[in-house]
Amino acid sequence: MTIHTSEDQGQIWTAIVARNRDWDGRVFFAVRTTGIYCLPSCPSRRPKYSSVEFFSSADDAERAGYRPCKRCRPEQWGRDAAEFRRLMEILLDQQEAVSSVEEWAAAAGISPVFLLRVMKRFTGTTPKRVIMEKRNNDLKELLKNGETISASQFAAGFSSSSRLYEKAVSHLGMTPRKYQNGGAGERIVYDFLNTPLGRMLMAATEHGVCSLKFGEKNHELLKELVCEFPAAKIEQQTGELDLWIEQLNAYFSTHQRIFEIPVDSHATVFQLLVWQELRKIPYGEKRSYSEIARSIGKPKAVRAVASACAANPVAIINPCHRVVHSDGSVSGYRWGIDRKKALLKMECDESKDHN
């Protein structure tokens, strides 16, 4: 199916220019002058907007006479997406921590080269980095639960203390002891937003937004941030967040549909999978908890999906408000069911106005 709505096409084109990986599989763009179609994240040079056509599936693009790009292989996206979910399920379900790329590939029955290609496509990084992120997420959970650093080190799969500290600095942005001590020595900047649904606080590290939450009063929002990072250096921003705040304001005022805002969330691998799936839900649409569970290859993990949505620290950008029960009923929003209903109504009404 060709995507006709001009505003939708404008939003999609913004994602394509930014090579936004979150849009892969949701839309495909074809170039009339070359007869080739691609994924939004394709590394090829961007054509003129006047030369492109948008499709909702690879089959639609091919029926229109376009050939798949040999760089991004859009015709393989559906198969690779299923394989990615299988690979992540293997990583998550291992009784003992996966210690190497070779071990992960062997458990999946594939080659390390194929594992690298799939991880690069869906995460933008290497299998080695994915394994390290899982170790660090496991480490964070253990430290947050009060385990000692030495016990957490081995439970998370680090072979030595020196390796733990070497890797944690590059992946966590802080040493394990700093994280355990509430982010001691870290700098977090914040500011408040006034929205139609109440006050919001946006906070960010040097890597991206770590908190975006609704609240009633500024001091309550700030208190919650301090409780999360009690030993961090928390300061009101002096311009660092302005561009990101502008995008949030545009979401409420002009109904911006795509965000170019980096996120720096402390999460488990499962939570990251769920939040990534949330970002694929189109503006104005909804998904059920069971649909999200199936889409990440965990059809029985409906309650765990609901828990991951409830733990989401970055409202709107990770649109957990778009997830509802299978019967369409609305519940379970950490910032209040009335806000969830209002967000859904706003997006639904705006989508109808442009159809």
Side-chain angles (χ1 to χ4, degrees):
M1 177 179 69
T2 304
I3 298 171
H4 296 290
T5 307
S6 59
E7 179 165 337
D8 285 348
Q9 291 185 359
Q11 295 284 343
I12 291 166
W13 181 243
T14 300
I16 290 170
V17 170
R19 293 180 170 83
N20 190 327
R21 194 178 302 276
D22 289 341
W23 283 75
D24 284 353
R26 295 166 57 185
V27 69
F28 300 79
F29 74 96
V31 185
R32 296 186 184 95
T33 53
T34 63
I36 291 173
Y37 74 96
C38 300
L39 292 167
S41 67
C42 183
S44 62
R45 189 175 69 177
R46 291 304 181 248
K48 293 181 179 179
Y49 179 74
S50 59
S51 300
V52 300
E53 188 173 358
F54 304 104
F55 296 92
S56 58
S57 73
D59 288 343
D60 288 342
E62 292 189 14
R63 278 193 289 269
Y66 290 100
R67 307 184 308 278
C69 171
K70 292 185 177 180
R71 296 187 69 180
C72 66
R73 297 291 185 184
E75 80 283 7
Q76 296 178 5
W77 190 91
R79 184 196 68 188
D80 286 353
E83 182 66 4
F84 172 71
R85 290 192 291 269
R86 186 181 76 89
L87 290 170
M88 293 307 299
E89 184 171 353
I90 289 171
L91 182 66
L92 290 166
D93 286 348
Q94 290 298 297
Q95 295 299 313
E96 297 182 2
V98 172
S99 60
S100 69
V101 174
E102 291 73 21
E103 185 180 327
W104 189 6
I110 60 174
S111 71
V113 173
F114 183 66
L115 176 60
L116 173 63
R117 183 171 75 79
V118 174
M119 288 300 116
K120 274 285 191 180
R121 164 165 278 194
F122 289 94
T123 69
T125 190
T126 65
K128 184 176 181 180
R129 179 67 182 260
V130 173
I131 291 171
M132 185 55 61
E133 291 291 346
K134 182 180 185 299
R135 286 180 184 172
N136 282 314
N137 287 327
D138 291 344
L139 175 69
K140 292 175 193 177
E141 289 298 306
L142 290 165
L143 292 175
K144 279 287 190 181
N145 290 333
E147 295 288 342
T148 65
I149 291 174
S150 58
S152 300
Q153 162 196 323
F154 294 106
F158 291 96
S159 57
S160 68
S161 295
S162 60
R163 183 169 177 78
L164 167 64
Y165 275 81
E166 169 197 347
K167 296 299 182 183
V169 171
S170 61
H171 289 267
L172 299 182
M174 61 183 78
T175 67
R177 192 167 298 282
K178 278 188 177 181
Y179 189 84
Q180 189 180 43
N181 292 338
E186 294 301 307
R187 180 174 183 264
I188 295 174
V189 296
Y190 72 90
D191 210 343
F192 300 103
L193 296 81
N194 191 29
T195 79
L197 301 180
R199 301 293 284 171
M200 294 191 83
L201 180 143
M202 176 186 284
T205 67
E206 61 179 321
H207 304 293
V209 173
C210 61
S211 181
L212 181 61
K213 299 176 180 178
F214 287 104
E216 302 304 324
K217 298 179 180 179
N218 289 357
H219 73 272
E220 293 174 352
L221 287 164
L222 185 56
K223 181 180 178 181
E224 185 177 352
L225 180 67
V226 172
C227 287
E228 175 69 16
F229 296 100
K233 183 179 181 181
I234 298 176
E235 304 174 330
Q236 189 151 14
Q237 69 125 356
T238 56
E240 300 95 328
L241 306 181
D242 285 354
L243 291 177
W244 301 341
I245 289 175
E246 284 180 13
Q247 293 185 50
L248 264 296
N249 287 333
Y251 167 80
F252 285 106
S253 61
T254 60
H255 308 291
Q256 177 167 329
R257 301 185 179 198
I258 300 173
F259 298 105
E260 296 302 328
I261 301 176
V263 174
D264 181 23
S265 297
H266 299 299
T268 66
V269 172
F270 182 84
Q271 287 172 333
L272 290 174
L273 279 174
V274 172
W275 298 345
Q276 181 184 50
E277 202 63 30
L278 297 183
R279 292 193 291 272
K280 296 178 183 178
I281 305 174
Y283 182 102
E285 295 187 17
K286 294 176 285 188
R287 298 289 184 271
S288 69
Y289 295 103
S290 57
E291 286 176 320
I292 297 295
R294 288 195 296 271
S295 68
I296 63 171
K298 292 279 192 177
K300 296 182 179 179
V302 178
R303 286 191 176 183
V305 167
S307 296
C309 290
N312 174 29
V314 183
I316 310 298
I317 299 173
N318 292 336
C320 56
H321 62 276
R322 295 176 189 161
V323 186
V324 299
H325 291 295
S326 297
D327 62 3
S329 61
V330 178
S331 67
Y333 194 52
R334 66 182 296 181
W335 297 289
I337 190 171
D338 289 340
R339 283 196 177 101
K340 183 171 185 174
K341 289 179 177 178
L343 288 168
L344 289 172
K345 184 178 186 303
M346 181 189 79
E347 293 183 355
C348 181
D349 290 348
E350 179 63 19
S351 296
K352 288 178 180 177
D353 289 343
H354 288 85
N355 286 336

